[in-house]
Amino acid sequence: GNSVTQMEGPVTLSEEAFLTINCTYTATGYPSLFWYVQYPGEGLQLLLKATKADDKGSNKGFEATYRKETTSFHLEKGSVQVSDSAVYFCALYSGTYKYIFGTGTRLKVLA
Amino acid sequence: DGGITQSPKYLFRKEGQNVTLSCEQNLNHDAMYWYRQDPGQGLRLIYYSQIVNDFQKGDIAEGYSVSREKKESFPLTVTSAQKNPTAFYLCASSIPGRALRTQYFGPGTRLLVL
């Protein structure tokens, strides 16, 4: 069946460091891929998305490229800020109204 | 502003009691979802609804019930049969159309057992 695997956290970085959070997936066909962010005590917010191979989603300095050959959708940011501290979820949608979420990766950015 | 509202923010349940979590959206979305989130874990699907008067069980439906009488509303009832209900509950809706299906989430309800 479909699945999403994320790197385990927490990931702890200093401000202005480079961020990578790995995400790989297993799915039939051509799923849509998403990154969501969750701040403490809140719901999930869409961060970025991609619908087909080689698409790059980007938002607020974050980027992720849909790599079908490696079944990956890694999240990157060139310079993190303290305000980026949150939990990040990778997710896929492959049809039939159901989404598959990864277990989430907690990011802590230290000033 | 369009969005999804959930109420209450915190809910306390006594043993043997049924409680209902509210979810309302004004985004004109067809599909709505309920997820459960436990500490340090991902989201698990409880129920989803593609259209009014229709809903489907997700991966962990036991001990929960839903209704979808209006497009805007998708309330979740946590019944006394749910033995471990303490969790953060998230409601979501998705945009019409096949290509993308972005999900939009409400702020969540935290359920605690007294």
Side-chain angles (χ1 to χ4, degrees):
Chain A
N2 297 339
S3 66
V4 173
T5 303
Q6 286 183 240
M7 62 187 290
E8 289 194 18
V11 173
T12 303
L13 297 172
S14 298
E15 204 164 26
E16 299 183 2
F18 184 86
L19 168 72
T20 300
I21 300 178
N22 290 337
C23 172
T24 57
Y25 68 90
T26 301
T28 55
Y30 300 90
S32 296
L33 300 174
F34 307 85
W35 276 101
Y36 285 87
V37 58
Q38 184 179 36
Y39 298 101
E42 298 184 9
L44 275 66
Q45 301 174 26
L46 178 68
L47 183 59
L48 54 82
K49 59 197 177 191
T51 58
K52 59 184 187 295
D54 300 325
D55 266 2
K56 177 184 282 188
S58 61
N59 186 26
K60 300 180 182 179
F62 291 89
E63 294 183 339
T65 301
Y66 189 145
R67 300 287 189 199
K68 189 157 180 65
E69 64 275 13
T70 55
T71 61
S72 65
F73 193 55
H74 304 323
L75 182 68
E76 297 181 334
K77 187 175 185 183
S79 176
V80 294
Q81 306 300 312
V82 172
S83 58
D84 293 326
S85 298
V87 180
Y88 292 82
F89 290 91
C90 185
L92 72 81
Y93 176 78
S94 61
T96 65
Y97 289 83
K98 290 183 69 174
Y99 294 74
I100 307 297
F101 287 84
T103 53
T105 302
R106 182 176 299 278
L107 170 65
K108 300 169 76 171
V109 180
L110 306 176
Chain B
D1 285 342
I4 302 175
T5 57
Q6 291 186 242
S7 62
K9 188 173 178 66
Y10 295 95
L11 186 58
F12 298 91
R13 193 191 91 163
K14 297 179 181 178
E15 291 289 336
Q17 184 183 41
N18 293 353
V19 293
T20 297
L21 286 62
S22 169
C23 177
E24 303 278 333
Q25 56 99 358
N26 61 4
L27 300 168
N28 199 34
H29 288 175
D30 292 315
M32 297 186 73
Y33 307 78
W34 274 105
Y35 292 94
R36 170 178 172 144
Q37 185 179 25
D38 293 283
Q41 298 189 29
L43 278 66
R44 292 186 289 171
L45 182 64
I46 304 172
Y47 268 98
Y48 65 102
S49 169
Q50 302 174 27
I51 197 169
V52 174
N53 293 323
D54 182 67
F55 48 83
Q56 309 294 328
K57 291 183 178 179
D59 301 317
I60 56 164
E62 185 174 351
Y64 300 96
S65 66
V66 294
S67 63
R68 187 84 186 277
E69 297 177 0
K70 298 186 299 182
K71 187 176 186 177
E72 302 80 18
S73 179
F74 191 41
L76 173 73
T77 296
V78 184
T79 74
S80 58
Q82 173 49 244
K83 298 306 180 188
N84 184 24
T86 298
F88 191 50
Y89 290 86
L90 289 163
C91 179
S93 68
S94 65
I95 200 166
R98 295 182 181 183
L100 190 52
R101 291 221 170 257
T102 300
Q103 273 196 321
Y104 296 86
F105 283 82
T109 292
R110 188 165 300 281
L111 177 60
L112 300 167
V113 177
L114 296 176

